[in-house]
Amino acid sequence: MGAAKARRQMVLIKKYANRRLYHTGLSKHVTLDDLARIVREGDTVRVVDANTGADLTRQVLTQVMLEQQTPLSLIPIELLHAAIRYHG
């Protein structure tokens, strides 16, 4: 394992009002699939609102999880109903 692989990075992503995600280190827009790949490769992602600076990491990573087909099929529908009822 090389030194570059041993050192994991904090990747800063800015989320804009138009729902686009911007990778500040690469200076380009990224998709939820890109974020999933970044996390799978071992880097840590931090997502902030581009206007307010509010931390949106939890919401965006949850969205990444839900967009992936396999994990979603593992969650029972009853649990999803219960979670919505509990938090709503």
Side-chain angles (χ1 to χ4, degrees), residues 23-61:
H23 188 307
T24 61
L26 298 178
S27 299
K28 70 175 198 172
H29 288 94
V30 293
T31 65
L32 292 176
D33 287 338
D34 294 328
L35 290 184
R37 180 187 45 77
I38 290 167
V39 171
R40 278 194 297 274
E41 289 174 354
D43 292 331
T44 302
V45 172
R46 181 165 182 255
V47 183
V48 297
D49 184 285
N51 293 326
T52 66
D55 189 348
L56 302 174
T57 307
R58 184 180 318 274
Q59 293 92 328
V60 172
L61 291 180

mmCIF file of all heavy atoms in Angstrom, residues 23-61:
data_model
loop_
_atom_site.group_PDB
_atom_site.id
_atom_site.type_symbol
_atom_site.label_atom_id
_atom_site.label_comp_id
_atom_site.label_asym_id
_atom_site.label_seq_id
_atom_site.Cartn_x
_atom_site.Cartn_y
_atom_site.Cartn_z
ATOM 1 N N HIS A 23 -17.443 19.185 -5.815
ATOM 2 C CA HIS A 23 -16.239 18.679 -5.150
ATOM 3 C C HIS A 23 -15.206 19.800 -5.195
ATOM 4 O O HIS A 23 -14.675 20.129 -6.261
ATOM 5 C CB HIS A 23 -15.742 17.443 -5.906
ATOM 6 C CG HIS A 23 -14.633 16.704 -5.247
ATOM 7 N ND1 HIS A 23 -13.461 17.295 -4.841
ATOM 8 C CD2 HIS A 23 -14.517 15.391 -4.944
ATOM 9 C CE1 HIS A 23 -12.658 16.388 -4.322
ATOM 10 N NE2 HIS A 23 -13.297 15.217 -4.359
ATOM 11 N N THR A 24 -14.915 20.406 -4.045
ATOM 12 C CA THR A 24 -14.021 21.563 -4.026
ATOM 13 C C THR A 24 -12.575 21.197 -4.348
ATOM 14 O O THR A 24 -11.840 22.029 -4.896
ATOM 15 C CB THR A 24 -14.082 22.284 -2.666
ATOM 16 O OG1 THR A 24 -13.664 21.390 -1.637
ATOM 17 C CG2 THR A 24 -15.487 22.798 -2.381
ATOM 18 N N GLY A 25 -12.152 19.990 -4.027
ATOM 19 C CA GLY A 25 -10.780 19.573 -4.304
ATOM 20 C C GLY A 25 -10.512 19.349 -5.777
ATOM 21 O O GLY A 25 -9.415 19.612 -6.275
ATOM 22 N N LEU A 26 -11.514 18.863 -6.503
ATOM 23 C CA LEU A 26 -11.366 18.598 -7.933
ATOM 24 C C LEU A 26 -11.927 19.717 -8.795
ATOM 25 O O LEU A 26 -11.766 19.694 -10.016
ATOM 26 C CB LEU A 26 -12.067 17.279 -8.308
ATOM 27 C CG LEU A 26 -11.539 16.015 -7.639
ATOM 28 C CD1 LEU A 26 -12.379 14.812 -8.071
ATOM 29 C CD2 LEU A 26 -10.071 15.800 -7.973
ATOM 30 N N SER A 27 -12.629 20.669 -8.165
ATOM 31 C CA SER A 27 -13.258 21.789 -8.875
ATOM 32 C C SER A 27 -14.194 21.299 -9.979
ATOM 33 O O SER A 27 -14.124 21.721 -11.132
ATOM 34 C CB SER A 27 -12.214 22.731 -9.464
ATOM 35 O OG SER A 27 -11.423 23.272 -8.441
ATOM 36 N N LYS A 28 -15.078 20.356 -9.582
ATOM 37 C CA LYS A 28 -16.063 19.867 -10.554
ATOM 38 C C LYS A 28 -17.297 19.353 -9.826
ATOM 39 O O LYS A 28 -17.252 19.035 -8.643
ATOM 40 C CB LYS A 28 -15.483 18.783 -11.448
ATOM 41 C CG LYS A 28 -15.210 17.465 -10.756
ATOM 42 C CD LYS A 28 -14.745 16.430 -11.764
ATOM 43 C CE LYS A 28 -14.887 15.039 -11.197
ATOM 44 N NZ LYS A 28 -14.634 14.009 -12.190
ATOM 45 N N HIS A 29 -18.396 19.295 -10.561
ATOM 46 C CA HIS A 29 -19.632 18.760 -10.007
ATOM 47 C C HIS A 29 -19.542 17.244 -9.954
ATOM 48 O O HIS A 29 -18.913 16.618 -10.808
ATOM 49 C CB HIS A 29 -20.834 19.200 -10.845
ATOM 50 C CG HIS A 29 -21.146 20.648 -10.654
ATOM 51 N ND1 HIS A 29 -20.651 21.634 -11.489
ATOM 52 C CD2 HIS A 29 -21.857 21.284 -9.705
ATOM 53 C CE1 HIS A 29 -21.073 22.812 -11.070
ATOM 54 N NE2 HIS A 29 -21.805 22.629 -9.995
ATOM 55 N N VAL A 30 -20.179 16.659 -8.935
ATOM 56 C CA VAL A 30 -20.179 15.210 -8.762
ATOM 57 C C VAL A 30 -21.608 14.731 -8.537
ATOM 58 O O VAL A 30 -22.498 15.515 -8.233
ATOM 59 C CB VAL A 30 -19.286 14.779 -7.569
ATOM 60 C CG1 VAL A 30 -17.821 15.077 -7.863
ATOM 61 C CG2 VAL A 30 -19.722 15.436 -6.273
ATOM 62 N N THR A 31 -21.791 13.434 -8.687
ATOM 63 C CA THR A 31 -23.101 12.808 -8.495
ATOM 64 C C THR A 31 -23.104 12.043 -7.172
ATOM 65 O O THR A 31 -22.055 11.869 -6.536
ATOM 66 C CB THR A 31 -23.400 11.827 -9.637
ATOM 67 O OG1 THR A 31 -22.443 10.759 -9.571
ATOM 68 C CG2 THR A 31 -23.340 12.513 -10.996
ATOM 69 N N LEU A 32 -24.269 11.540 -6.795
ATOM 70 C CA LEU A 32 -24.362 10.685 -5.610
ATOM 71 C C LEU A 32 -23.536 9.415 -5.807
ATOM 72 O O LEU A 32 -22.919 8.918 -4.859
ATOM 73 C CB LEU A 32 -25.822 10.344 -5.301
ATOM 74 C CG LEU A 32 -26.689 11.502 -4.838
ATOM 75 C CD1 LEU A 32 -28.141 11.039 -4.657
ATOM 76 C CD2 LEU A 32 -26.167 12.120 -3.558
ATOM 77 N N ASP A 33 -23.505 8.897 -7.023
ATOM 78 C CA ASP A 33 -22.669 7.721 -7.308
ATOM 79 C C ASP A 33 -21.197 8.033 -7.100
ATOM 80 O O ASP A 33 -20.442 7.197 -6.590
ATOM 81 C CB ASP A 33 -22.899 7.219 -8.736
ATOM 82 C CG ASP A 33 -24.235 6.522 -8.912
ATOM 83 O OD1 ASP A 33 -24.799 6.044 -7.907
ATOM 84 O OD2 ASP A 33 -24.710 6.456 -10.062
ATOM 85 N N ASP A 34 -20.785 9.234 -7.479
ATOM 86 C CA ASP A 34 -19.400 9.647 -7.250
ATOM 87 C C ASP A 34 -19.088 9.681 -5.759
ATOM 88 O O ASP A 34 -18.025 9.236 -5.323
ATOM 89 C CB ASP A 34 -19.120 11.026 -7.856
ATOM 90 C CG ASP A 34 -19.203 11.048 -9.372
ATOM 91 O OD1 ASP A 34 -18.876 10.029 -10.014
ATOM 92 O OD2 ASP A 34 -19.591 12.103 -9.911
ATOM 93 N N LEU A 35 -20.033 10.209 -4.969
ATOM 94 C CA LEU A 35 -19.826 10.266 -3.519
ATOM 95 C C LEU A 35 -19.718 8.864 -2.940
ATOM 96 O O LEU A 35 -18.872 8.602 -2.082
ATOM 97 C CB LEU A 35 -20.958 11.022 -2.831
ATOM 98 C CG LEU A 35 -21.027 12.521 -3.062
ATOM 99 C CD1 LEU A 35 -22.143 13.129 -2.228
ATOM 100 C CD2 LEU A 35 -19.719 13.192 -2.758
ATOM 101 N N ALA A 36 -20.546 7.958 -3.399
ATOM 102 C CA ALA A 36 -20.487 6.572 -2.922
ATOM 103 C C ALA A 36 -19.121 5.969 -3.228
ATOM 104 O O ALA A 36 -18.514 5.307 -2.382
ATOM 105 C CB ALA A 36 -21.597 5.744 -3.566
ATOM 106 N N ARG A 37 -18.605 6.217 -4.415
ATOM 107 C CA ARG A 37 -17.287 5.706 -4.802
ATOM 108 C C ARG A 37 -16.195 6.297 -3.916
ATOM 109 O O ARG A 37 -15.308 5.583 -3.439
ATOM 110 C CB ARG A 37 -17.003 6.024 -6.268
ATOM 111 C CG ARG A 37 -15.653 5.517 -6.756
ATOM 112 C CD ARG A 37 -15.333 5.997 -8.162
ATOM 113 N NE ARG A 37 -15.608 7.406 -8.403
ATOM 114 C CZ ARG A 37 -14.844 8.422 -7.980
ATOM 115 N NH1 ARG A 37 -13.767 8.196 -7.261
ATOM 116 N NH2 ARG A 37 -15.173 9.664 -8.273
ATOM 117 N N ILE A 38 -16.262 7.596 -3.656
ATOM 118 C CA ILE A 38 -15.267 8.270 -2.809
ATOM 119 C C ILE A 38 -15.241 7.644 -1.420
ATOM 120 O O ILE A 38 -14.171 7.366 -0.866
ATOM 121 C CB ILE A 38 -15.579 9.779 -2.732
ATOM 122 C CG1 ILE A 38 -15.299 10.451 -4.083
ATOM 123 C CG2 ILE A 38 -14.776 10.452 -1.627
ATOM 124 C CD1 ILE A 38 -15.864 11.856 -4.215
ATOM 125 N N VAL A 39 -16.416 7.402 -0.854
ATOM 126 C CA VAL A 39 -16.490 6.808 0.480
ATOM 127 C C VAL A 39 -15.984 5.370 0.453
ATOM 128 O O VAL A 39 -15.235 4.954 1.340
ATOM 129 C CB VAL A 39 -17.930 6.897 1.036
ATOM 130 C CG1 VAL A 39 -18.079 6.103 2.316
ATOM 131 C CG2 VAL A 39 -18.319 8.359 1.253
ATOM 132 N N ARG A 40 -16.371 4.603 -0.560
ATOM 133 C CA ARG A 40 -15.904 3.221 -0.676
ATOM 134 C C ARG A 40 -14.382 3.150 -0.793
ATOM 135 O O ARG A 40 -13.768 2.201 -0.330
ATOM 136 C CB ARG A 40 -16.552 2.519 -1.872
ATOM 137 C CG ARG A 40 -17.940 1.995 -1.584
ATOM 138 C CD ARG A 40 -18.416 1.024 -2.656
ATOM 139 N NE ARG A 40 -18.534 1.623 -3.973
ATOM 140 C CZ ARG A 40 -19.605 2.275 -4.410
ATOM 141 N NH1 ARG A 40 -20.656 2.423 -3.630
ATOM 142 N NH2 ARG A 40 -19.632 2.783 -5.613
ATOM 143 N N GLU A 41 -13.787 4.165 -1.392
ATOM 144 C CA GLU A 41 -12.332 4.200 -1.543
ATOM 145 C C GLU A 41 -11.636 4.581 -0.236
ATOM 146 O O GLU A 41 -10.418 4.532 -0.161
ATOM 147 C CB GLU A 41 -11.936 5.162 -2.656
ATOM 148 C CG GLU A 41 -12.291 4.637 -4.032
ATOM 149 C CD GLU A 41 -12.035 5.625 -5.154
ATOM 150 O OE1 GLU A 41 -11.673 6.799 -4.872
ATOM 151 O OE2 GLU A 41 -12.210 5.243 -6.319
ATOM 152 N N GLY A 42 -12.419 4.976 0.782
ATOM 153 C CA GLY A 42 -11.837 5.220 2.094
ATOM 154 C C GLY A 42 -11.758 6.668 2.533
ATOM 155 O O GLY A 42 -11.366 6.948 3.664
ATOM 156 N N ASP A 43 -12.088 7.605 1.654
ATOM 157 C CA ASP A 43 -12.049 9.004 2.049
ATOM 158 C C ASP A 43 -13.293 9.365 2.843
ATOM 159 O O ASP A 43 -14.328 8.701 2.761
ATOM 160 C CB ASP A 43 -11.937 9.913 0.825
ATOM 161 C CG ASP A 43 -10.597 9.777 0.125
ATOM 162 O OD1 ASP A 43 -9.603 9.456 0.804
ATOM 163 O OD2 ASP A 43 -10.544 9.988 -1.094
ATOM 164 N N THR A 44 -13.196 10.420 3.633
ATOM 165 C CA THR A 44 -14.315 10.925 4.418
ATOM 166 C C THR A 44 -14.901 12.122 3.692
ATOM 167 O O THR A 44 -14.164 12.991 3.215
ATOM 168 C CB THR A 44 -13.845 11.356 5.821
ATOM 169 O OG1 THR A 44 -13.247 10.224 6.459
ATOM 170 C CG2 THR A 44 -14.991 11.868 6.660
ATOM 171 N N VAL A 45 -16.211 12.167 3.608
ATOM 172 C CA VAL A 45 -16.899 13.240 2.900
ATOM 173 C C VAL A 45 -17.571 14.170 3.912
ATOM 174 O O VAL A 45 -18.173 13.700 4.881
ATOM 175 C CB VAL A 45 -17.963 12.649 1.943
ATOM 176 C CG1 VAL A 45 -18.822 13.733 1.331
ATOM 177 C CG2 VAL A 45 -17.306 11.825 0.865
ATOM 178 N N ARG A 46 -17.450 15.452 3.676
ATOM 179 C CA ARG A 46 -18.196 16.461 4.444
ATOM 180 C C ARG A 46 -18.955 17.298 3.437
ATOM 181 O O ARG A 46 -18.359 17.856 2.508
ATOM 182 C CB ARG A 46 -17.262 17.344 5.264
ATOM 183 C CG ARG A 46 -18.026 18.375 6.071
ATOM 184 C CD ARG A 46 -17.162 19.011 7.147
ATOM 185 N NE ARG A 46 -17.957 19.946 7.910
ATOM 186 C CZ ARG A 46 -17.875 21.270 7.783
ATOM 187 N NH1 ARG A 46 -17.003 21.804 6.948
ATOM 188 N NH2 ARG A 46 -18.652 22.047 8.495
ATOM 189 N N VAL A 47 -20.284 17.376 3.613
ATOM 190 C CA VAL A 47 -21.133 18.119 2.689
ATOM 191 C C VAL A 47 -21.693 19.330 3.421
ATOM 192 O O VAL A 47 -22.254 19.198 4.517
ATOM 193 C CB VAL A 47 -22.291 17.244 2.160
ATOM 194 C CG1 VAL A 47 -23.124 18.015 1.141
ATOM 195 C CG2 VAL A 47 -21.759 15.953 1.553
ATOM 196 N N VAL A 48 -21.523 20.505 2.821
ATOM 197 C CA VAL A 48 -22.036 21.735 3.428
ATOM 198 C C VAL A 48 -22.901 22.471 2.418
ATOM 199 O O VAL A 48 -22.694 22.373 1.210
ATOM 200 C CB VAL A 48 -20.898 22.657 3.914
ATOM 201 C CG1 VAL A 48 -20.085 22.001 5.011
ATOM 202 C CG2 VAL A 48 -19.996 23.093 2.782
ATOM 203 N N ASP A 49 -23.882 23.207 2.949
ATOM 204 C CA ASP A 49 -24.701 24.073 2.121
ATOM 205 C C ASP A 49 -23.823 25.203 1.606
ATOM 206 O O ASP A 49 -23.137 25.867 2.382
ATOM 207 C CB ASP A 49 -25.868 24.622 2.948
ATOM 208 C CG ASP A 49 -26.807 25.461 2.116
ATOM 209 O OD1 ASP A 49 -26.437 26.614 1.790
ATOM 210 O OD2 ASP A 49 -27.902 24.987 1.791
ATOM 211 N N ALA A 50 -23.828 25.422 0.308
ATOM 212 C CA ALA A 50 -22.951 26.421 -0.296
ATOM 213 C C ALA A 50 -23.267 27.838 0.177
ATOM 214 O O ALA A 50 -22.375 28.677 0.235
ATOM 215 C CB ALA A 50 -23.047 26.351 -1.820
ATOM 216 N N ASN A 51 -24.522 28.104 0.526
ATOM 217 C CA ASN A 51 -24.903 29.456 0.949
ATOM 218 C C ASN A 51 -24.748 29.686 2.441
ATOM 219 O O ASN A 51 -24.240 30.720 2.858
ATOM 220 C CB ASN A 51 -26.347 29.762 0.538
ATOM 221 C CG ASN A 51 -26.491 29.839 -0.960
ATOM 222 O OD1 ASN A 51 -25.592 30.276 -1.660
ATOM 223 N ND2 ASN A 51 -27.620 29.385 -1.460
ATOM 224 N N THR A 52 -25.174 28.734 3.244
ATOM 225 C CA THR A 52 -25.205 28.944 4.699
ATOM 226 C C THR A 52 -24.053 28.272 5.438
ATOM 227 O O THR A 52 -23.776 28.618 6.577
ATOM 228 C CB THR A 52 -26.515 28.398 5.300
ATOM 229 O OG1 THR A 52 -26.536 26.970 5.158
ATOM 230 C CG2 THR A 52 -27.740 29.006 4.617
ATOM 231 N N GLY A 53 -23.417 27.295 4.810
ATOM 232 C CA GLY A 53 -22.357 26.550 5.467
ATOM 233 C C GLY A 53 -22.873 25.467 6.404
ATOM 234 O O GLY A 53 -22.092 24.799 7.075
ATOM 235 N N ALA A 54 -24.193 25.277 6.439
ATOM 236 C CA ALA A 54 -24.788 24.251 7.301
ATOM 237 C C ALA A 54 -24.297 22.870 6.884
ATOM 238 O O ALA A 54 -24.136 22.581 5.698
ATOM 239 C CB ALA A 54 -26.313 24.308 7.224
ATOM 240 N N ASP A 55 -24.060 22.025 7.871
ATOM 241 C CA ASP A 55 -23.578 20.665 7.617
ATOM 242 C C ASP A 55 -24.721 19.794 7.118
ATOM 243 O O ASP A 55 -25.705 19.579 7.823
ATOM 244 C CB ASP A 55 -22.975 20.083 8.894
ATOM 245 C CG ASP A 55 -22.257 18.764 8.663
ATOM 246 O OD1 ASP A 55 -22.410 18.182 7.572
ATOM 247 O OD2 ASP A 55 -21.546 18.332 9.572
ATOM 248 N N LEU A 56 -24.595 19.286 5.905
ATOM 249 C CA LEU A 56 -25.617 18.440 5.280
ATOM 250 C C LEU A 56 -25.116 17.013 5.070
ATOM 251 O O LEU A 56 -25.738 16.227 4.366
ATOM 252 C CB LEU A 56 -26.024 19.023 3.923
ATOM 253 C CG LEU A 56 -26.567 20.443 3.926
ATOM 254 C CD1 LEU A 56 -26.796 20.931 2.500
ATOM 255 C CD2 LEU A 56 -27.840 20.533 4.740
ATOM 256 N N THR A 57 -24.002 16.682 5.703
ATOM 257 C CA THR A 57 -23.372 15.389 5.482
ATOM 258 C C THR A 57 -24.319 14.232 5.763
ATOM 259 O O THR A 57 -24.461 13.315 4.942
ATOM 260 C CB THR A 57 -22.099 15.250 6.342
ATOM 261 O OG1 THR A 57 -21.247 16.375 6.093
ATOM 262 C CG2 THR A 57 -21.366 13.968 6.031
ATOM 263 N N ARG A 58 -24.973 14.255 6.908
ATOM 264 C CA ARG A 58 -25.857 13.144 7.284
ATOM 265 C C ARG A 58 -26.969 12.949 6.254
ATOM 266 O O ARG A 58 -27.248 11.830 5.820
ATOM 267 C CB ARG A 58 -26.461 13.404 8.664
ATOM 268 C CG ARG A 58 -27.314 12.256 9.176
ATOM 269 C CD ARG A 58 -27.911 12.538 10.550
ATOM 270 N NE ARG A 58 -27.002 13.159 11.481
ATOM 271 C CZ ARG A 58 -26.137 12.500 12.277
ATOM 272 N NH1 ARG A 58 -26.094 11.200 12.231
ATOM 273 N NH2 ARG A 58 -25.352 13.151 13.094
ATOM 274 N N GLN A 59 -27.600 14.049 5.836
ATOM 275 C CA GLN A 59 -28.708 13.948 4.884
ATOM 276 C C GLN A 59 -28.239 13.415 3.533
ATOM 277 O O GLN A 59 -28.895 12.563 2.924
ATOM 278 C CB GLN A 59 -29.381 15.316 4.681
ATOM 279 C CG GLN A 59 -30.101 15.817 5.896
ATOM 280 C CD GLN A 59 -29.220 16.697 6.783
ATOM 281 O OE1 GLN A 59 -28.016 16.521 6.883
ATOM 282 N NE2 GLN A 59 -29.840 17.658 7.444
ATOM 283 N N VAL A 60 -27.101 13.907 3.058
ATOM 284 C CA VAL A 60 -26.633 13.487 1.737
ATOM 285 C C VAL A 60 -26.147 12.041 1.758
ATOM 286 O O VAL A 60 -26.437 11.271 0.838
ATOM 287 C CB VAL A 60 -25.539 14.443 1.217
ATOM 288 C CG1 VAL A 60 -24.908 13.908 -0.062
ATOM 289 C CG2 VAL A 60 -26.129 15.828 0.973
ATOM 290 N N LEU A 61 -25.439 11.631 2.819
ATOM 291 C CA LEU A 61 -24.993 10.239 2.889
ATOM 292 C C LEU A 61 -26.175 9.287 3.042
ATOM 293 O O LEU A 61 -26.156 8.172 2.503
ATOM 294 C CB LEU A 61 -23.986 10.046 4.019
ATOM 295 C CG LEU A 61 -22.624 10.712 3.795
ATOM 296 C CD1 LEU A 61 -21.702 10.446 4.979
ATOM 297 C CD2 LEU A 61 -21.986 10.272 2.495
#
